[in-house]
Amino acid sequence: MINIAVDGPGGSGKSTLAKVIAKQLGILYLDTGALYRAIGYTVLCRIGEEYTEAQVCDLLPSLSVDLRYEENVQHVYVNGEDVSSHIRTQPVAMAASRVSAFPPVRAFLLDLQRDIAARNSVIMDGRDVGTVILPHADVKIFLTARPEVRATRRVAELTEKGIQADFDTVLREITQRDHNDMTRAVAPLKQADDAVLLDNSELNAEETIDAALQIIRSKVAL
Ligand code: DC
């Protein structure tokens, strides 16, 4: 059994990296951000864009969030409905960032994440995996890149999908989400003391994967 934690800000390439490594090592990939996005999406659908922490907390007991792997791809279910195809939008990302600051939301998702790691070899990406979810992970990587680099990548990604994106707007959203995620009182985004910092501002995807594999090999025998 091996547990690998990859934390870092939005757009640093955590999921791209974790997916490739999961495949290479034959272990599970768990995208924890998808869980917060699923809650954010549900809040937007059920309550709307204006909501308080109390309203979100009232909603939690009626929600059952569940992860399933279909052909090795993670799907998130809320009350039996697969919401995976609805959670990749900017409004959902912002809602996820906002609801993730509410302590009961974090508590609600904690056991689900820990249970999966206890039962499987896993590479998990998020914001607090190395600090809170899996403090005893075998390997911890803190993946980051300068905000301007992350914004440039995001614009390229959107352009490729045929979506027009304005660099300044994307950069503003990235900076806003960094700020939310790093300054919240509970489980903020930060590098664990024993995590290895990997800044991929000057690296491409392949170089990032190589660097991460080196870090992993230096910590565990593969
Ligand atoms: O990784 P992502 O962009 O899909 O995450 C969406 C939001 O969810 C992120 O801005 C903050 C929150 N999140 C969190 O608080 N803790 C995690 N482990 C993962 C995500």
Side-chain angles (χ1 to χ4, degrees):
M1 287 279 279
I2 156 175
N3 284 176
I4 304 172
V6 181
D7 290 302
S12 55
K14 300 184 300 289
S15 67
T16 309
L17 172 72
K19 265 182 215 158
V20 173
I21 290 192
K23 201 165 178 192
Q24 287 202 8
L25 303 187
I27 63 178
L28 207 65
Y29 164 50
L30 202 168
D31 165 10
T32 64
L35 300 170
Y36 292 92
R37 284 173 183 260
I39 305 266
Y41 170 70
T42 307
V43 166
L44 291 176
C45 293
R46 299 251 197 116
I47 310 177
E49 281 177 17
E50 298 291 320
Y51 48 84
T52 61
E53 176 170 348
Q55 280 175 302
V56 172
C57 293
D58 285 348
L59 190 65
L60 291 177
S62 69
L63 302 184
S64 135
V65 176
D66 190 15
L67 281 180
R68 295 183 208 160
Y69 288 85
E70 293 161 19
E71 286 166 9
N72 252 337
V73 177
Q74 173 184 306
H75 289 252
V76 193
Y77 284 76
V78 178
N79 294 346
E81 184 203 345
D82 184 355
V83 298
S84 312
S85 61
H86 304 298
I87 60 174
R88 296 290 151 201
T89 66
Q90 188 54 28
V92 172
M94 287 311 277
S97 180
R98 217 183 130 202
V99 299
S100 71
F102 302 155
V105 170
R106 307 204 70 82
F108 181 76
L109 295 173
L110 187 70
D111 287 348
L112 172 62
Q113 298 170 77
R114 283 197 179 143
D115 283 353
I116 293 174
R119 285 186 282 108
N120 302 275
S121 279
V122 68
I123 179 164
M124 216 186 254
D125 79 357
R127 304 292 187 288
D128 63 339
V129 182
T131 50
V132 175
I133 309 288
L134 305 177
H136 304 297
D138 304 282
V139 186
K140 297 182 187 178
I141 296 173
F142 193 83
L143 186 66
T144 190
R146 289 193 304 278
E148 295 75 13
V149 173
R150 290 186 273 134
T152 305
R153 289 178 190 154
R154 181 81 187 127
V155 169
E157 231 175 73
L158 291 168
T159 309
E160 200 159 293
K161 285 186 190 161
I163 303 167
Q164 227 185 344
D166 168 57
F167 177 83
D168 289 337
T169 309
V170 171
L171 180 59
R172 214 174 23 249
E173 283 163 355
I174 282 181
T175 315
Q176 172 71 50
R177 205 141 68 90
D178 284 358
H179 178 77
N180 283 356
D181 296 346
M182 293 192 296
T183 57
R184 67 175 175 235
V186 180
L189 166 65
K190 69 167 189 225
Q191 185 181 344
D193 292 339
D194 52 351
V196 179
L197 177 68
L198 177 51
D199 184 327
N200 69 4
S201 300
E202 314 297 336
L203 306 180
N204 63 28
E206 207 174 306
E207 291 164 336
T208 305
I209 293 160
D210 286 346
L213 280 170
Q214 267 188 31
I215 295 169
I216 295 168
R217 286 202 190 97
S218 74
K219 303 276 178 190
V220 288
L222 294 176

